[in-house]
Amino acid sequence: MKKNRYLLCLLVCGFFLYFAVPRLNIFGEGLEGIFAISWLAFALIVIAGNLTSLLYSPKKSVPSTSIQVQERKRSRAINR
């Protein structure tokens, strides 16, 4: 379920970049250039974070029910 969210965030970020890049003036003077460069830098950070989460998320293994029962018994014994 989380992978769908990361993929959706990547698509939304790509959509924003598709519309913003032609309108941003990187070589503009003053605040215009600073805003364009900082906006693109934050967009790249968002893309990198979502790609990292999407590609390197740990795989969850489903333990068998007998192992879960044994772990519950152990935890109950330790807590007493």
Side-chain angles (χ1 to χ4, degrees), residues 8-42:
L8 178 66
C9 288
L10 282 172
L11 290 173
V12 169
C13 189
F15 178 75
F16 286 154
L17 283 171
Y18 177 76
F19 282 104
V21 168
R23 292 168 177 80
L24 290 174
N25 186 8
I26 298 173
F27 301 109
E29 294 191 19
L31 288 176
E32 181 183 7
I34 293 171
F35 174 79
I37 291 171
S38 62
W39 196 92
L40 288 173
F42 283 127

